[in-house]
PDB file of all heavy atoms in Angstrom:
ATOM      1  N   ALA B 544     129.923 -77.450 -88.027  1.00  0.00           N
ATOM      2  CA  ALA B 544     130.273 -77.737 -89.416  1.00  0.00           C
ATOM      3  C   ALA B 544     129.060 -77.729 -90.324  1.00  0.00           C
ATOM      4  O   ALA B 544     129.196 -77.702 -91.537  1.00  0.00           O
ATOM      5  CB  ALA B 544     130.971 -79.084 -89.504  1.00  0.00           C
ATOM      6  N   GLY B 545     127.874 -77.786 -89.767  1.00  0.00           N
ATOM      7  CA  GLY B 545     126.685 -77.863 -90.607  1.00  0.00           C
ATOM      8  C   GLY B 545     126.506 -79.253 -91.183  1.00  0.00           C
ATOM      9  O   GLY B 545     127.313 -80.148 -90.942  1.00  0.00           O
ATOM     10  N   GLU B 546     125.446 -79.424 -91.963  1.00  0.00           N
ATOM     11  CA  GLU B 546     125.121 -80.763 -92.452  1.00  0.00           C
ATOM     12  C   GLU B 546     126.043 -81.188 -93.581  1.00  0.00           C
ATOM     13  O   GLU B 546     126.137 -82.360 -93.915  1.00  0.00           O
ATOM     14  CB  GLU B 546     123.670 -80.816 -92.918  1.00  0.00           C
ATOM     15  CG  GLU B 546     122.658 -80.679 -91.787  1.00  0.00           C
ATOM     16  CD  GLU B 546     122.712 -81.854 -90.808  1.00  0.00           C
ATOM     17  OE1 GLU B 546     123.097 -82.960 -91.220  1.00  0.00           O
ATOM     18  OE2 GLU B 546     122.382 -81.642 -89.623  1.00  0.00           O
ATOM     19  N   SER B 547     126.703 -80.221 -94.227  1.00  0.00           N
ATOM     20  CA  SER B 547     127.563 -80.578 -95.345  1.00  0.00           C
ATOM     21  C   SER B 547     128.910 -79.885 -95.176  1.00  0.00           C
ATOM     22  O   SER B 547     129.184 -78.869 -95.797  1.00  0.00           O
ATOM     23  CB  SER B 547     126.885 -80.160 -96.655  1.00  0.00           C
ATOM     24  OG  SER B 547     127.791 -80.337 -97.710  1.00  0.00           O
ATOM     25  N   PRO B 548     129.765 -80.427 -94.322  1.00  0.00           N
ATOM     26  CA  PRO B 548     130.979 -79.710 -93.926  1.00  0.00           C
ATOM     27  C   PRO B 548     131.890 -79.364 -95.087  1.00  0.00           C
ATOM     28  O   PRO B 548     132.522 -78.314 -95.076  1.00  0.00           O
ATOM     29  CB  PRO B 548     131.673 -80.692 -92.984  1.00  0.00           C
ATOM     30  CG  PRO B 548     130.646 -81.674 -92.593  1.00  0.00           C
ATOM     31  CD  PRO B 548     129.641 -81.733 -93.682  1.00  0.00           C
ATOM     32  N   TRP B 549     131.991 -80.227 -96.098  1.00  0.00           N
ATOM     33  CA  TRP B 549     132.921 -79.966 -97.187  1.00  0.00           C
ATOM     34  C   TRP B 549     132.193 -79.494 -98.436  1.00  0.00           C
ATOM     35  O   TRP B 549     132.822 -79.080 -99.409  1.00  0.00           O
ATOM     36  CB  TRP B 549     133.739 -81.223 -97.522  1.00  0.00           C
ATOM     37  CG  TRP B 549     134.482 -81.768 -96.339  1.00  0.00           C
ATOM     38  CD1 TRP B 549     134.126 -82.843 -95.596  1.00  0.00           C
ATOM     39  CD2 TRP B 549     135.671 -81.244 -95.754  1.00  0.00           C
ATOM     40  NE1 TRP B 549     135.024 -83.030 -94.572  1.00  0.00           N
ATOM     41  CE2 TRP B 549     135.992 -82.062 -94.645  1.00  0.00           C
ATOM     42  CE3 TRP B 549     136.508 -80.169 -96.041  1.00  0.00           C
ATOM     43  CZ2 TRP B 549     137.101 -81.840 -93.835  1.00  0.00           C
ATOM     44  CZ3 TRP B 549     137.615 -79.955 -95.229  1.00  0.00           C
ATOM     45  CH2 TRP B 549     137.898 -80.777 -94.133  1.00  0.00           C
ATOM     46  N   GLY B 550     130.891 -79.631 -98.436  1.00  0.00           N
ATOM     47  CA  GLY B 550     130.123 -79.205 -99.606  1.00  0.00           C
ATOM     48  C   GLY B 550     130.227 -80.145-100.787  1.00  0.00           C
ATOM     49  O   GLY B 550     129.610 -79.922-101.818  1.00  0.00           O
ATOM     50  N   THR B 551     130.999 -81.215-100.658  1.00  0.00           N
ATOM     51  CA  THR B 551     131.249 -82.066-101.825  1.00  0.00           C
ATOM     52  C   THR B 551     131.073 -83.536-101.502  1.00  0.00           C
ATOM     53  O   THR B 551     131.574 -84.385-102.222  1.00  0.00           O
ATOM     54  CB  THR B 551     132.700 -81.886-102.300  1.00  0.00           C
ATOM     55  OG1 THR B 551     133.550 -82.309-101.235  1.00  0.00           O
ATOM     56  CG2 THR B 551     133.012 -80.471-102.650  1.00  0.00           C
ATOM     57  N   GLU B 552     130.381 -83.845-100.397  1.00  0.00           N
ATOM     58  CA  GLU B 552     130.343 -85.229 -99.949  1.00  0.00           C
ATOM     59  C   GLU B 552     129.550 -86.090-100.909  1.00  0.00           C
ATOM     60  O   GLU B 552     128.586 -85.626-101.515  1.00  0.00           O
ATOM     61  CB  GLU B 552     129.718 -85.333 -98.558  1.00  0.00           C
ATOM     62  CG  GLU B 552     130.414 -84.529 -97.501  1.00  0.00           C
ATOM     63  CD  GLU B 552     130.019 -83.068 -97.520  1.00  0.00           C
ATOM     64  OE1 GLU B 552     129.144 -82.705 -98.332  1.00  0.00           O
ATOM     65  OE2 GLU B 552     130.580 -82.304 -96.738  1.00  0.00           O
ATOM     66  N   ARG B 553     129.924 -87.324-101.043  1.00  0.00           N
ATOM     67  CA  ARG B 553     129.273 -88.183-102.027  1.00  0.00           C
ATOM     68  C   ARG B 553     128.613 -89.423-101.431  1.00  0.00           C
ATOM     69  O   ARG B 553     127.534 -89.821-101.838  1.00  0.00           O
ATOM     70  CB  ARG B 553     130.295 -88.635-103.081  1.00  0.00           C
ATOM     71  CG  ARG B 553     131.060 -87.491-103.719  1.00  0.00           C
ATOM     72  CD  ARG B 553     131.941 -87.961-104.845  1.00  0.00           C
ATOM     73  NE  ARG B 553     131.138 -88.444-105.959  1.00  0.00           N
ATOM     74  CZ  ARG B 553     130.608 -87.653-106.870  1.00  0.00           C
ATOM     75  NH1 ARG B 553     130.805 -86.362-106.824  1.00  0.00           N
ATOM     76  NH2 ARG B 553     129.885 -88.168-107.833  1.00  0.00           N
TER      77      ARG B 553
END
Side-chain angles (χ1 to χ4, degrees):
Chain B
E546 292 295 332
S547 172
W549 304 102
T551 62
E552 302 81 3
R553 307 186 67 83

